[in-house]
Amino acid sequence: MSLNGGWEDNPGLKKRFLLLSLAVVLIFLLLVLRLWYLQIISADRYRELSEKNRIRYIPVAAPRGPIYDRNGEILVDNRPSFIISVLRQEVEDKDALLARLAEILGEDPAELEKRWQSGSRFPRYRPFPLAEDVSRESLEVIQENSVNLPGVLTEVRPLRSYPHGELGAHLFGYLGEITQKELQSKQFSSDYRPGDFVGKRGLEKLLERYLRGIEGERLLEVDVKGQELRILKTQEPQPGNKVFLTIDRKLQAAAEAAFGEEAGAAVVMDVKTGAVLALTSRPAFDPALFARGISGKEWIDLLQNPRHPLQDKTIQGQYPPGSTFKMVTALAALKAGAAYPSTTVDCGGALSHGNRKFRCWKRGGHGRVDLKRALKESCDVWFYKVSLDLGIDRIAAMARALGLGIPLGFPLEGEKTGLVPDRQWKQQRHGTRWYDGETVIASIGQGYVLTTPLQLAVMTAGIANDGIVPRPQVISRIEDLAGNILEEMQPEILNDAQLNPSDLQVVKRGMEAVVNEPGGTAYKSRLDEIRIAGKTGTSQVVKLKDDHAPKREIAYRFRDHALFVGYAPAQAPEIAVAVLLEHGGSGGSNAAPVAQKIFASYFDVPIPVHAPPSSPMPEPSPLSPESFPPTSTDAVNSPPGGEGGPAQPGAASAMTGTAPLIEPSTPAPHPPSSPPVADDRSLPPGGEEIVPEAEGD
Amino acid sequence: MFDRRLLTHFDWVLLLTVMTVAGIGILNLYSATSIWTGSGPPIYLKQTYWLGIGLTIALGVSSVDYRHLEYCGFFLYGLTLCLLLAVLLVGKTSMGATRWLDLGLFNLQPSEIMKIVIIITLARYFSQKGNVRGYSLRQLFVPFALLGVPAVLIMKQPDLGTAMMVIFIGGTLSLFAGLRRTTLAVLAVLGSSAAGGGWFLLRPYQKQRILTFLNPEHDPLGAGYHIIQSKIAVGSGGFWGSGFMQGTQSQLSFLPERHTDFAFSVFAEEWGFTGSLILLGLYLFLIIWGIYIARRASDMFGMMLALGVTAMIFWHIVVNLGMVIGLLPVVGVPLPLFSYGGTSMVTTMIGTGLLLNISMRRFMF
């Protein structure tokens, strides 16, 4: 190792250190000279440049991607809206400015002050909105007075618009201002800023990254007065991608119209591909409220509405399926050999099992019924009887095979799975064994059984499609601006239920009879040109002691749900429909007509006006007045333990207590002297047919 | 073996200077990024964390006798070369350049390590092959090869700024080791012709930067924008500056990269000529002090090591400031202790640690 002395002797080194230090000082001197030139000699010139150099940075919002229906008809669009925003960097007298603006806009100065405060988290050079979606008149006044309003900018910003109003509101969802929490989450961290609007629900949320687009910006050089000198940089915004849905706008509109004022849900599905053609949940909300920023009061109103307009009932509503479940029981029984198409049961209006009596909806009984008639007239006793041999586990397996009680993988958030009970579930959930009585009521879709309307549509499509159950999908494809396809739907099979063709044949014939044969529970909802196959259902929300109370006297929330599921054309099925009317009466009289309108719209056929009561009534006998109360599952014994209507357990226990025999609401024929009608709830004057609206269920 | 003399000879002047500059840097970052509304801790706070980490590293580096480095110099060199190769093969690409190795916990930038390692390597080479008469061209083959291989690898990433720094550091050390007059002349000719030839090796964006530097007004909104805005910021600062957090150029965000490469523009605008002079004075003092440490080093290796580290800091300062005030083209080189960035902070503090190390062992043999 060389030592200190070793190199100090090197005569060159001393000189080199000196030279090195000199060079360093010289170079620094050069830097200082340059700084002196910039900061002293040219300071005035640069200061002037800097003064002039008032650059405005204006972000240009990207139009969100439009949403189209399957035929390219626009469902969700953007419209230009005028925004008054303010650049803090250019405002000198804030209070005077706000006062002047408040006068022009006719707003409360305190409100503007509040928005100013919330805007101060933005950088000073970034404009933030003081008033959104202002009228053209206000805009013009502001533009005329721009000299007196330094720092105030008028901008045009695209705002979501909904050409069809409430149509598809739940599906599309809505936007809302990004929250602090979202800003800090991984999904939004990169290119989102406070004040941005993001999808909060539905497709807007699901497809946020496709729909958002890329914000553009403009750099403007302005003079001291705020006059634009030149545009330094323009980066055009890039609109979001186009989303095409499987929804058919016309059909969706027809489905929503068919509900009238009723609450509920309807799903229309292509039986082969699983493409959802209509998905409606009523009542709906106006998504435009959210687009412009919903007010506190409007929000509270929506939240507190007892009919839950914000809930997407198609996937989030869970209801007992009632008699629409009978296909499941029938197919399970046929598959297991617990029943045959020819198995006949003598329905005397009730089945006694143990010390309990399970009633058919039809007090007087159906007499001898085979499977087809049991479906057609919705005889409960046939299913009660068969289910006892079949057992709950086999019913549950069939239900799940057909898409009930399982997650469907539907892309929208918040999909509920419903509930298909079996022995294991009961043991785990309640820690008690399963009772036969529970099998009996489960066989007609009551008790613990819960399904969503979407699941019912999937089940129906699965039956129509010979046991191949399609997965429901609603996004057909996503295209970028140039038309390149980014995502495209591929039909998927949810499950192959492996149904025996002959079993299917029988069940399908029964479903056809429901609509097309006199005495079928939905006979009055048939179409002339197209044969519909279907099944009605009336599911009990709660058991009422007084089953003769007129509908109007029963509290809304205790009324039965009305259901109908069906497909058409019966011979070569194209679509499956599930309709649920929340607290809507009975399946045959209330839900089936809604489905009828949907089918009529899809096939573009007229709704026939069926002849009034004089039409041939093939089974007059059961129509004696006292047998008439069409109702829900009549007289279902409470299962041991008194676990009754699952939909509203609280209400149920309140109403039922431990009474073993409680019966669902049923209006008395009314007025009694008039020709017996299925029920008095929904038939338009003169249009009724005397069909045991049985739906029994 | 702890020696009490280590404490008595601890170079407080150096440490104090470094901490002062870093402190001013953090203050400046506070102003430069005050209007940012991002998530996570603010930039100035992060820089403070980095300074803390850097200080720990510096003290760690200073505590182990630098002379051990002499023995593992070539090993470190080989290892870093492998890392550079790995970057080209499996590196992480960001913004068009592949500079990082993703180590899971953090991203490693081997080209930064190379800055330090090349100093150690050349210091060892030149200290062992002492040459009183000056190096001939042939004798320089080995050190130039040691320098050239990593420089080419870094250039390929591409990272012109770092490659340039490595060459500048190596060049300074070679020059200081002593060259013959003829060698110097040949190198000057070679160098200028290489600069001409090198033009064709540059990437389009690199050419653009140089063209823009020569005539920034030609493209005021594109590549010239940085230079023009930076000059306006610096110039409008005037003698006294616009005051802390009052610089319109910086606060209004015309200045791009104002927390990293252009941090000095913010400072110059807000503190004016006086502030800039003080900062430059501090930097100059730091460099001269570094040379002083080299001068007093106890051995040749320590001397060359100290010189190398000083050269590294010096060239960063000069290239960065030259760019910011429009004397040099825009090359992505941070201002040591001033620009935001953990990598730069850590490299500078390792260098500081080495200087402390050499300084406090100057009487130990």
Side-chain angles (χ1 to χ4, degrees):
Chain A
M1 184 193 292
S2 46
L3 300 182
N4 204 348
W7 57 264
E8 279 230 312
D9 293 340
N10 187 334
L13 271 181
K14 251 183 188 170
K15 211 176 83 188
R16 275 180 225 156
F17 270 115
L18 204 66
L19 277 174
L20 188 68
S21 307
L22 211 62
V24 166
V25 171
L26 275 177
I27 291 179
F28 266 79
L29 216 57
L30 198 67
L31 293 177
V32 170
L33 268 177
R34 174 68 176 179
L35 279 172
W36 182 68
Y37 168 76
L38 288 177
Q39 299 190 295
I40 308 290
I41 308 261
S42 330
D44 290 341
R45 189 164 67 87
Y46 282 117
R47 199 166 290 141
E48 192 193 345
L49 276 176
S50 159
E51 282 291 312
K52 260 177 50 186
N53 198 346
R54 302 186 81 142
I55 297 187
R56 280 182 183 166
Y57 168 84
I58 313 281
V60 187
R64 224 172 147 78
I67 300 179
Y68 300 91
D69 85 342
R70 64 190 300 118
N71 302 314
E73 204 176 321
I74 197 144
L75 298 176
V76 182
D77 201 358
N78 299 291
R79 69 176 168 85
S81 73
F82 301 115
I83 289 187
I84 307 299
S85 49
V86 64
L87 253 178
R88 282 197 297 144
Q89 72 180 35
E90 289 172 24
V91 176
E92 271 153 27
D93 188 346
K94 179 194 84 175
D95 294 332
L97 180 78
L98 291 186
R100 222 169 292 154
L101 268 182
E103 192 183 325
I104 295 171
L105 295 171
E107 290 221 31
D108 183 6
E111 179 65 22
L112 291 183
E113 172 73 32
K114 219 164 80 188
R115 273 182 235 156
W116 174 282
Q117 291 306 336
S118 69
S120 21
R121 66 209 152 112
F122 291 97
R124 288 170 49 84
Y125 62 87
R126 204 182 137 86
F128 63 89
L130 268 189
E132 300 196 35
D133 209 9
V134 300
S135 68
R136 186 174 282 277
E137 293 73 44
S138 306
L139 183 86
E140 280 165 6
V141 175
I142 285 171
Q143 281 174 338
E144 283 161 18
N145 288 291
S146 63
V147 186
N148 302 322
L149 297 166
V152 172
L153 309 178
T154 54
E155 292 178 72
V156 181
R157 199 180 283 182
L159 203 61
R160 268 300 199 212
S161 73
Y162 303 87
H164 306 292
E166 289 187 352
L167 182 120
H170 296 92
L171 179 58
F172 309 143
Y174 50 80
L175 302 173
E177 196 177 331
I178 192 164
T179 62
Q180 200 58 38
K181 207 170 142 201
E182 283 170 325
L183 266 177
Q184 280 160 3
S185 72
K186 208 169 173 192
Q187 188 197 350
F188 295 108
S189 58
S190 54
D191 47 353
Y192 287 81
R193 275 188 298 255
D196 284 352
F197 271 64
V198 296
K200 295 282 186 182
R201 288 275 290 266
L203 292 172
E204 295 276 23
K205 178 173 187 185
L206 178 76
L207 301 177
E208 171 69 22
R209 73 193 172 99
Y210 288 108
L211 290 173
R212 181 169 190 241
I214 301 170
E215 191 178 75
E217 61 182 41
R218 275 184 307 152
L219 273 182
L220 300 178
E221 197 174 305
V222 295
D223 65 11
V224 210
K225 292 195 190 99
Q227 304 290 323
E228 266 177 43
L229 293 178
R230 58 175 175 163
I231 297 172
L232 292 179
K233 185 175 149 199
T234 306
Q235 193 179 337
E236 293 299 332
Q238 195 181 316
N241 299 303
K242 300 175 184 174
V243 172
F244 291 82
L245 302 181
T246 59
I247 297 292
D248 183 316
R249 202 275 304 161
K250 202 178 119 256
L251 194 62
Q252 175 83 20
E256 296 191 2
F259 273 87
E261 290 303 304
E262 296 284 342
V267 179
V268 184
M269 245 174 88
D270 183 312
V271 298
K272 292 255 182 314
T273 64
V276 173
L277 303 178
L279 194 69
T280 175
S281 177
R282 306 293 299 174
F285 55 89
D286 183 1
L289 291 183
F290 292 92
R292 61 160 171 72
I294 190 165
S295 77
K297 185 183 174 303
E298 288 163 336
W299 176 245
I300 300 286
D301 284 350
L302 282 175
L303 278 184
Q304 292 182 343
N305 186 322
R307 304 206 301 170
H308 308 294
L310 288 175
Q311 184 195 37
D312 185 349
K313 299 182 172 68
T314 58
I315 56 170
Q316 294 172 337
Q318 304 184 101
Y319 308 90
S323 294
T324 59
F325 191 74
K326 284 176 179 168
M327 277 83 78
V328 171
T329 308
L331 286 167
L334 292 171
K335 190 170 188 177
Y340 300 94
S342 54
T343 302
T344 53
V345 166
D346 197 2
C347 169
L351 174 80
S352 296
H353 180 73
N355 57 354
R356 308 220 184 268
K357 197 172 171 194
F358 297 93
R359 285 212 197 148
C360 186
W361 64 270
K362 191 165 171 182
R363 291 282 172 78
H366 287 89
R368 290 184 72 78
V369 289
D370 60 4
L371 170 54
K372 184 185 159 194
R373 226 187 113 201
L375 284 170
K376 173 182 148 195
E377 295 174 23
S378 205
C379 170
D380 294 335
V381 171
W382 193 92
F383 292 92
Y384 291 157
K385 192 106 203 305
V386 165
S387 71
L388 286 170
D389 292 338
L390 186 57
I392 186 63
D393 286 350
R394 282 187 283 199
I395 295 177
M398 179 57 70
R400 292 189 192 119
L402 289 170
L404 304 181
I406 58 168
L408 298 173
F410 198 61
L412 287 188
E413 196 181 56
E415 182 201 341
K416 294 272 173 34
T417 53
L419 175 61
V420 169
D422 59 15
R423 287 172 194 281
Q424 197 191 348
W425 170 84
K426 178 86 188 293
Q427 192 63 45
Q428 279 170 0
R429 179 67 206 276
H430 294 280
T432 51
R433 61 172 280 255
W434 183 268
Y435 295 97
D436 280 351
E438 292 170 320
T439 306
V440 170
I441 57 170
S443 74
I444 58 156
Q446 290 282 168
Y448 297 113
V449 186
L450 290 177
T451 59
T452 66
L454 182 65
Q455 286 175 332
L456 289 177
V458 167
M459 169 195 83
T460 311
I463 293 170
N465 200 26
D466 297 331
I468 309 294
V469 187
R471 182 186 296 284
Q473 299 191 74
V474 74
I475 299 157
S476 169
R477 65 182 191 280
I478 300 175
E479 283 181 8
D480 68 10
L481 278 187
N484 301 315
I485 292 174
L486 306 175
E487 302 272 340
E488 191 162 28
M489 173 188 130
Q490 301 298 333
E492 285 177 41
I493 293 170
L494 184 68
N495 187 32
D496 180 354
Q498 300 189 325
L499 301 180
N500 186 334
S502 63
D503 297 352
L504 263 168
Q505 193 62 25
V506 184
V507 170
K508 283 178 160 183
R509 276 217 302 270
M511 290 173 75
E512 274 184 72
V514 168
V515 186
N516 297 291
E517 289 183 15
T521 53
Y523 181 60
K524 68 183 185 311
S525 296
R526 67 192 182 276
L527 291 174
D528 290 340
E529 284 94 338
I530 300 287
R531 261 177 97 80
I532 301 169
K535 183 74 196 77
T536 55
T538 306
S539 74
Q540 207 177 340
V541 170
V542 66
K543 294 163 196 153
L544 296 175
K545 284 178 183 161
D546 177 8
D547 65 345
H548 289 279
K551 174 185 175 185
R552 63 180 171 277
E553 288 176 15
I554 304 170
Y556 174 76
R557 64 181 204 277
F558 299 140
R559 293 177 201 161
D560 295 341
H561 298 314
L563 296 101
F564 180 86
V565 302
Y567 60 87
Q571 298 314 314
E574 290 177 24
I575 57 165
V577 173
V579 170
L580 173 127
L581 288 165
E582 214 173 54
H583 310 297
S586 81
S589 338
N590 303 74
V594 171
Q596 181 194 36
K597 286 177 192 151
I598 294 173
F599 280 117
S601 166
Y602 177 83
F603 293 104
D604 201 14
V605 296
I607 294 172
V609 180
H610 293 303
S614 57
S615 67
M617 260 323 298
E619 295 180 90
S621 53
L623 295 183
S624 62
E626 80 263 32
S627 70
F628 231 84
T631 95
S632 325
T633 326
D634 277 24
V636 169
N637 273 347
S638 263
E643 310 231 15
Q648 304 206 357
S653 58
M655 297 298 294
T656 62
T658 53
L661 235 174
I662 323 163
E663 311 190 356
S665 67
T666 304
H670 158 100
S673 58
S674 69
V677 290
D679 69 324
D680 63 344
R681 304 177 197 188
S682 67
L683 295 186
E688 52 280 336
E689 204 153 10
I690 307 183
V691 176
E693 147 26 19
E695 206 16 43
D697 47 22
Chain B
M1 52 146 222
F2 183 77
D3 193 321
R4 222 164 43 82
R5 282 180 299 174
L6 287 180
L7 261 189
T8 42
H9 293 139
F10 188 81
D11 197 338
W12 292 105
V13 175
L14 174 67
L15 192 64
L16 199 70
T17 313
V18 165
M19 293 307 283
T20 308
V21 175
I24 297 174
I26 288 170
L27 205 65
N28 185 57
L29 282 180
Y30 179 80
S31 167
T33 60
S34 61
I35 54 169
W36 286 11
T37 53
S39 49
I43 293 282
Y44 75 92
L45 212 57
K46 285 203 236 171
Q47 180 80 339
T48 313
Y49 299 153
W50 279 117
L51 181 61
I53 293 170
L55 192 63
T56 315
I57 292 175
L59 294 178
V61 167
S62 68
S63 64
V64 182
D65 194 334
Y66 68 90
R67 277 164 283 215
H68 295 299
L69 284 175
E70 194 169 354
Y71 305 110
C72 55
F74 285 118
F75 170 73
L76 284 177
Y77 182 80
L79 188 74
T80 314
L81 219 49
C82 291
L83 288 177
L84 280 175
L85 276 172
V87 166
L88 288 184
L89 296 178
V90 296
K92 193 175 152 224
T93 304
S94 151
M95 298 197 284
T98 311
R99 297 174 186 172
W100 299 270
L101 284 178
D102 190 350
L103 296 187
L105 263 181
F106 59 98
N107 292 327
L108 187 70
Q109 198 178 338
S111 56
E112 279 295 319
I113 303 177
M114 193 38 112
K115 284 180 189 167
I116 299 286
V117 170
I118 197 72
I119 294 170
I120 299 171
T121 310
L122 289 181
R124 177 191 153 109
Y125 183 84
F126 286 126
S127 64
Q128 292 195 335
K129 303 256 160 53
N131 192 326
V132 180
R133 288 176 49 232
Y135 287 85
S136 70
L137 211 50
R138 201 181 320 153
Q139 287 166 322
L140 279 178
F141 178 77
V142 176
F144 277 20
L146 288 174
L147 189 58
V149 174
V152 168
L153 287 179
I154 295 169
M155 193 90 89
K156 284 206 77 133
Q157 290 180 355
D159 185 351
L160 187 63
T162 309
M164 217 169 68
M165 281 301 128
V166 169
I167 291 175
F168 280 10
I169 294 164
T172 310
L173 282 178
S174 307
L175 208 61
F176 192 84
L179 302 181
R180 291 183 191 169
R181 245 171 253 274
T182 47
T183 317
L184 212 54
V186 173
L187 280 181
V189 173
L190 275 181
S192 45
S193 54
W199 174 257
F200 299 101
L201 294 176
L202 292 177
R203 309 240 166 171
Y205 81 92
Q206 293 166 335
K207 287 186 191 174
Q208 184 64 43
R209 281 181 182 177
I210 293 174
L211 286 178
T212 302
F213 159 66
L214 295 174
N215 184 10
E217 276 72 17
H218 173 70
D219 182 14
L221 306 180
Y225 182 76
H226 289 205
I227 296 181
I228 294 176
Q229 293 301 336
S230 175
K231 272 159 68 177
I232 294 178
V234 174
S236 64
F239 191 77
W240 292 110
S242 54
F244 185 54
M245 301 197 55
Q246 299 297 317
T248 55
Q249 281 295 108
S250 350
Q251 299 296 332
L252 302 190
S253 80
F254 307 135
L255 266 177
E257 308 284 336
R258 64 183 186 281
H259 64 302
T260 55
D261 292 354
F262 284 88
F264 179 75
S265 323
V266 177
F267 184 80
E269 182 184 15
E270 300 190 345
W271 299 95
F273 187 61
T274 41
S276 306
L277 267 192
I278 292 170
L279 186 66
L280 251 66
L282 282 169
Y283 273 128
L284 180 61
F285 180 78
L286 187 64
I287 300 302
I288 296 294
W289 193 261
I291 295 174
Y292 179 60
I293 290 173
R295 176 80 174 76
R296 293 187 305 168
S298 63
D299 59 11
M300 189 75 174
F301 176 66
M303 182 187 82
M304 292 307 269
L305 199 58
L307 273 178
V309 170
T310 309
M312 175 180 85
I313 297 174
F314 172 77
W315 285 118
H316 273 95
I317 295 170
V318 169
V319 173
N320 178 278
L321 291 186
M323 161 184 84
V324 167
I325 60 182
L327 283 175
L328 294 172
V330 175
V331 190
V333 170
L335 185 58
L337 305 170
F338 217 72
S339 296
Y340 170 71
T343 312
S344 164
M345 181 62 89
V346 167
T347 312
T348 310
M349 291 311 268
I350 290 176
T352 308
L354 286 174
L355 286 179
L356 288 172
N357 196 334
I358 298 160
S359 181
M360 65 202 211
R361 289 187 175 82
R362 61 187 181 272
F363 300 117
M364 299 172 70
F365 303 105

